[in-house]
Amino acid sequence: MQIRETFFESVHLLDVPRYPDERGWFSESQHQQQYADLLGLDAPVFLQSNVSHSHINVLRGMHAQLTRPQGKLIQVLSGEIYDVFVDLRADQATFGLWHGIRLSAQNSQQLWIPAGFAHGFLTLAQDTTVLYHCSDYYVPNDQITLLWNDPDINIQWPNSHTSPVLSPKDQAGMTLKEYIKCAS
Ligand SMILES: Cc1cn([C@H]2C[C@H](O)[C@@H](COP(=O)(O)OP(=O)(O)O[C@H]3O[C@@H](C)C(=O)[C@@H](O)[C@H]3O)O2)c(=O)[nH]c1=O
């Protein structure tokens, strides 16, 4: 497996091998020991796995958990997304900065986002299915939503001329300034 650096030192893009043959292809979606070695993590790394399916132009996020932050290993099974992560690690010089990466079902790339980031994505294709493994459980009362279009974060979403479809929770997300107050 090949590991690529991204804008943030601890966020990695992984090229997961695919094994094609006359039937189609095979690929491993999660191998505890390999990921622990590759990413320098302690096992157990993943406690919960999720799948979401979305129509085109759906924006989910930006989500984080305050006291039980989740690391996420993200992979697109069908369609395409623009995946975005915002650094919420208060002790980092990159606090409040964001980065985005396109992920698609065309390859078996996976994106590893460690705990401490808010995460979200915009779907760029109809019938987009995303699989992600999380390093901790979902704790609804612990979750916060950062506003996807907070001018202080200034995420440059693709197709910005059209309004994305958001859940009511995500429409009512907090700004980075509000987050700083609520987290301190
Ligand atoms: C995230 C999650 C949701 N749910 C339920 C709650 C709700 O009824 C329904 C939909 O939840 P949400 O609207 O929060 O789903 P969604 O907006 O897809 O939330 C996800 O967004 C992406 C960007 C992430 O990074 C994930 O960690 C997760 O927060 O599913 C669970 O049962 N378990 C879970 O782990």
Side-chain angles (χ1 to χ4, degrees):
M1 187 171 349
Q2 225 195 323
I3 181 162
R4 296 173 198 238
E5 304 310 310
T6 70
F7 174 76
F8 296 106
E9 221 173 73
S10 53
V11 177
H12 299 292
L13 197 55
L14 308 171
D15 289 316
V16 183
R18 264 189 189 176
Y19 305 102
D21 61 24
E22 62 285 358
R23 299 166 297 175
W25 55 264
F26 179 92
S27 178
E28 293 179 351
S29 91
Q30 201 272 102
H31 187 298
Q32 193 85 353
Q33 189 62 56
Q34 249 185 47
Y35 287 88
D37 293 346
L38 206 66
L39 302 166
L41 304 169
D42 297 327
V45 183
F46 301 110
L47 297 183
Q48 184 178 327
S49 297
N50 305 321
V51 183
S52 69
H53 181 264
S54 311
H55 312 298
I56 192 170
N57 205 33
V58 166
L59 198 156
R60 296 176 185 258
M62 308 293 299
H63 299 158
Q65 294 191 172
L66 283 179
T67 62
R68 302 273 304 262
Q70 297 170 299
K72 294 171 191 172
L73 181 70
I74 296 145
Q75 179 171 7
V76 173
L77 299 181
S78 68
E80 184 174 16
I81 62 172
Y82 187 63
D83 198 277
V84 172
F85 30 101
V86 178
D87 194 349
L88 293 182
R89 299 168 302 171
D91 58 346
Q92 297 295 309
T94 47
F95 176 83
L97 299 185
W98 68 275
H99 189 63
I101 288 182
R102 276 178 194 250
L103 292 173
S104 95
Q106 295 301 315
N107 53 44
S108 292
Q109 279 188 330
Q110 292 180 328
L111 180 66
W112 166 245
I113 306 170
F117 287 79
H119 170 249
F121 58 83
L122 173 70
T123 60
L124 303 176
Q126 196 56 260
D127 289 324
T128 291
T129 306
V130 179
L131 166 71
Y132 52 102
H133 308 290
C134 301
S135 65
D136 205 341
Y137 296 110
Y138 169 60
V139 183
N141 295 339
D142 195 41
Q143 196 186 63
I144 59 106
T145 300
L146 272 187
L147 194 59
W148 67 284
N149 59 355
D150 175 12
D152 282 342
I153 307 175
N154 196 23
I155 299 169
Q156 299 299 301
W157 295 99
N159 310 333
S160 53
H161 52 282
T162 55
S163 302
V165 176
L166 292 124
S167 69
K169 178 182 77 178
D170 291 350
Q171 285 173 39
M174 63 175 81
T175 62
L176 188 63
K177 284 195 183 99
E178 288 166 339
Y179 167 80
I180 291 168
K181 267 192 216 145
C182 117
S184 59

